[in-house]
Amino acid sequence: MTATDFIKEFELLADAPNGVQKLREMILQLAVQGKLVPQDPSDEFASALLTENAAHRERFFEESGARKKRFAPVEENEEPFSMPSGWCWTRLGALAHPQAGYSFKSFNFNGDGTGL
């Protein structure tokens, strides 16, 4: 698709009912798939970043004594679309350690919504 074709499609979509919502969805989908901007081949591969993150998580769990959950790797048949070179699939829980079981009460916050 050429830039001229895209602009024509863009104008048609923008003028259609729910067009703005459809444009937002399209832009989000392109961004998630890595198609919104050109990929920089000199960027570090995601697998290297995930390995580094896993090492940080291991240290966190060893130092804190928190329970660690194991997450199965994402299988090929679970991938909804192919990723750009250097990208990879992972589970959200493998990236972060969500804290559950404690909620802040309203008196624990300042007027601007930040904690005391």
Side-chain angles (χ1 to χ4, degrees):
M1 177 181 281
T2 66
T4 307
D5 293 336
F6 177 76
I7 291 170
K8 287 178 186 174
E9 296 278 335
F10 184 86
E11 289 172 358
L12 288 173
L13 192 54
D15 292 336
N18 296 331
V20 173
Q21 180 63 30
K22 293 291 184 192
L23 284 171
R24 287 182 181 144
E25 291 170 8
M26 181 180 72
I27 291 168
L28 177 61
Q29 187 68 24
L30 290 171
V32 167
Q33 293 179 2
K35 296 177 181 177
L36 195 57
V37 297
Q39 301 300 304
D40 185 354
S42 66
D43 281 347
E44 187 174 11
F45 275 35
S47 57
L49 295 172
L50 290 175
T51 302
E52 185 179 324
N53 182 60
H56 285 291
R57 286 177 51 80
E58 283 296 323
R59 281 196 302 277
F60 166 77
F61 287 115
E62 288 173 6
E63 293 170 3
S64 70
R67 284 189 334 206
K68 178 173 41 175
K69 281 189 169 181
R70 300 268 181 213
F71 296 92
V74 178
E75 302 293 331
E76 267 189 56
N77 63 345
E78 295 178 290
E79 298 175 3
F81 51 85
S82 62
M83 302 292 281
S85 176
W87 290 31
C88 62
W89 289 99
T90 190
R91 308 248 181 238
L92 183 58
L95 297 175
H97 179 65
Q99 296 290 334
Y102 181 81
S103 62
F104 291 98
K105 307 295 182 221
S106 59
F107 60 80
N108 293 121
F109 290 96
N110 293 325
D112 63 356
T114 59
L116 296 175

